[in-house]
Amino acid sequence: MAHPAFLCYNIERYCNARMRIRRRQHARSTCYNIERYCNGRMGLMIKEDIRIKQVIVHILDSTVGLPVLSDSVIDFGSDFADFLREHIYRIVAGDDSKDCEFYKEQSEIYQMMKEYDDDRFVPMSKQAAELLYGIMNSNIDIPPADLVVVRFKARDEEFLAFLKMNFKTSYTHRTLSEGEGNYNEIIRYKSILPTETQRLQEAAVIDLQTFGVRLIEKKYEVNGEKTNYFSYLFLKCSSHLSPKSKLSIVTKAVENIQKENCEEYKQYEEHMRAKSIIQEELAQNGGFVVEEIAEKIFADQPELKTAFQEKMEKYDMVKEEVQPQNDTTVRKYQKQYLLTDTGIEIKIPMDQYKDTGKVEFITQADGSISVLLKNIGHIQAKF
């Protein structure tokens, strides 16, 4: 396999050449995916390529007072491997996930990864579980969980995953023997694990060659303040905003600036126009550069563009690329959602909104607004 630095250098030359001969935004999408490969090699991972090699489970229930650590790996079958594969892939491919970099001097997990070999899988996992349990035991808002540590391979690359599976409360049956027969009852059980379709709240995948980290996490109260404890205290790494978070920050900033600076009767038009521009960039180019989307949305409004850029500077996002990978993240941009003061809700597919032969918004002399739906051949009512 080619040396990573050489590979990334040649791929960068390829991207630059593509920039000159193809449309700029389309080429940027190609370069972005290759950059993800160079930085962590996880962005291009295919679910079917994931091969589970070793698994161990440690019980971290802070209500018990001590972690219950396993001394041996699990003898797992294909069903459990599929279960783990689903969760791992959701982390590496999800728009909620963030790329992170270890604080190498401070991170105990980084030191474990540097010294890791397969013979140390069990003791390493126990050491990591004890570290995480200590954090959980000192902060009661962090939910109890099973920590599943997974050693896996994808293509020719080696990875390790920490999957914190928070306990769910659900109901199940129990059979008791009473007298001459059995008695069945329903009980409330607090240690149910998430299903393979449920998203984990805290988990990380680590590339064992580059030590790149991709994680998903949720804030919990630590010392009276909401904190991303999984990255800040456990992994000790710095994180970047996820694609989903970037997109949300941009759209919320556009919405707030338009509310603050546009007359109320014009706000709905400005919101729809901005959403249409964002949707078109997502559909045609797979994403956008924040600075360039501002030029399109606020083309004739320099004051609003300046206000938007000031908001983006707070997040260091002025020149940031927003490139969501999942259809679920961009689905809401495929329709215009309107709510009138009379309580009527209207959903308009974006292609219909852009066609004046299908939908027209008419402002009456008294300032009221009419929505005209044109050329409808058939109407169907649904319950």
Side-chain angles (χ1 to χ4, degrees):
M1 183 176 177
H3 189 278
F6 174 80
L7 178 61
C8 291
Y9 169 76
N10 281 288
I11 288 172
E12 182 181 358
R13 292 182 64 192
Y14 165 80
C15 288
N16 289 337
R18 298 270 288 197
M19 288 286 193
R20 289 191 294 269
I21 63 175
R22 299 187 65 185
R23 295 178 69 249
R24 184 164 179 260
Q25 285 287 340
H26 183 75
R28 180 181 290 111
S29 179
T30 303
C31 294
Y32 173 81
N33 283 314
I34 295 173
E35 178 186 330
R36 292 180 72 181
Y37 176 84
C38 293
N39 288 343
R41 304 184 301 167
M42 297 185 209
L44 302 178
M45 189 181 295
I46 300 171
K47 181 165 61 176
E48 289 72 21
D49 287 342
I50 297 172
R51 297 289 180 264
I52 310 299
K53 297 178 67 175
Q54 294 189 88
V55 184
I56 193 168
V57 178
H58 302 297
I59 303 172
L60 308 183
D61 189 345
S62 50
T63 63
V64 173
L66 289 172
V68 182
L69 305 180
S70 178
D71 294 314
S72 59
V73 298
I74 291 177
D75 184 13
F76 60 90
S78 59
D79 287 345
F80 188 60
D82 289 342
F83 170 78
L84 295 175
R85 189 178 294 110
E86 287 290 338
H87 282 296
I88 290 169
Y89 185 70
R90 191 170 286 115
I91 297 163
V92 299
D95 284 332
D96 289 324
S97 301
K98 303 182 285 188
D99 290 321
C100 303
E101 183 177 349
F102 282 115
Y103 294 115
K104 296 179 180 179
E105 298 298 323
Q106 293 84 16
S107 174
E108 297 91 341
I109 299 297
Y110 172 73
Q111 296 303 323
M112 295 179 204
M113 297 301 100
K114 271 186 65 178
E115 300 167 3
Y116 176 81
D117 61 58
D118 283 345
D119 292 336
R120 288 186 46 79
F121 177 73
V122 173
M124 178 280 301
S125 72
K126 294 171 71 173
Q127 187 180 354
E130 287 179 326
L131 174 64
L132 181 56
Y133 184 81
I135 298 167
M136 295 167 59
N137 204 37
S138 301
N139 300 279
I140 59 174
D141 283 347
I142 299 175
D146 284 351
L147 178 66
V148 182
V149 185
V150 185
R151 173 80 167 81
F152 72 95
K153 188 173 183 176
R155 301 182 304 274
D156 295 323
E157 286 86 42
E158 306 287 345
F159 300 90
L160 193 137
F162 292 104
L163 310 178
K164 183 173 178 282
M165 298 192 172
N166 295 339
F167 297 154
K168 307 290 183 182
T169 299
S170 188
Y171 290 88
T172 187
H173 62 262
R174 178 173 66 176
T175 301
L176 303 173
S177 296
E178 289 192 354
E180 299 179 355
N182 293 330
Y183 169 69
N184 295 329
E185 66 174 358
I186 301 297
I187 61 170
R188 196 165 182 257
Y189 198 69
K190 296 183 179 180
S191 299
I192 303 296
L193 297 181
T195 67
E196 64 184 31
T197 60
Q198 291 176 312
R199 185 173 65 88
L200 301 183
Q201 293 181 330
E202 300 112 303
V205 174
I206 301 171
D207 186 320
L208 291 176
Q209 180 177 334
T210 67
F211 304 115
V213 182
R214 182 158 295 174
L215 67 82
I216 189 167
E217 62 182 339
K218 180 179 178 180
K219 289 184 177 182
Y220 291 96
E221 191 166 304
V222 174
N223 297 326
E225 184 177 346
K226 290 282 187 179
T227 302
N228 283 319
Y229 81 93
F230 202 73
S231 61
Y232 182 67
L233 298 177
F234 175 55
L235 295 172
K236 292 188 173 69
C237 62
S238 61
S239 62
H240 306 287
L241 289 169
S242 69
K244 187 175 181 179
S245 296
K246 291 179 186 178
L247 185 57
S248 178
I249 288 169
V250 169
T251 54
K252 183 60 69 175
V254 170
E255 181 182 10
N256 288 341
I257 286 170
Q258 289 176 338
K259 282 183 177 179
E260 293 166 3
N261 295 276
C262 298
E263 298 289 342
E264 187 174 354
Y265 72 93
K266 288 185 178 180
Q267 287 179 12
Y268 84 95
E269 292 181 293
E270 292 298 316
H271 290 344
M272 287 195 299
R273 190 179 65 83
K275 187 174 183 179
S276 176
I277 291 170
I278 292 172
Q279 183 272 335
E280 187 169 336
E281 291 296 309
L282 293 172
Q284 293 184 0
N285 306 312
F288 54 84
V289 176
V290 173
E291 188 175 41
E292 294 176 5
I293 203 74
E295 291 284 351
K296 295 182 178 182
I297 293 175
F298 303 113
D300 301 320
Q301 301 164 306
E303 298 87 358
L304 273 60
K305 184 175 74 172
T306 299
F308 174 80
Q309 290 176 332
E310 288 174 355
K311 286 182 180 289
M312 293 300 99
E313 284 172 359
K314 294 178 182 179
Y315 295 96
D316 194 24
M317 279 182 55
V318 173
K319 298 184 181 297
E320 193 75 22
E321 288 180 309
V322 179
Q323 297 274 357
Q325 302 299 303
N326 289 352
D327 289 340
T328 52
T329 304
V330 301
R331 191 172 295 154
K332 71 175 185 177
Y333 295 90
Q334 295 170 0
K335 293 182 180 180
Q336 297 281 15
Y337 296 88
L338 305 175
L339 177 63
T340 72
D341 57 355
T342 58
I344 297 174
E345 297 182 19
I346 305 173
K347 296 180 183 179
I348 306 173
M350 197 62 75
D351 59 334
Q352 303 281 307
Y353 160 76
K354 295 175 182 177
D355 187 348
T356 56
K358 299 292 181 63
V359 182
E360 185 178 355
F361 295 85
I362 304 169
T363 301
Q364 306 293 349
D366 61 358
S368 63
I369 301 161
S370 297
V371 181
L372 178 60
L373 306 180
K374 305 177 182 179
N375 301 317
I376 298 173
H378 178 70
I379 293 179
Q380 185 179 24
K382 292 185 178 181
F383 284 96

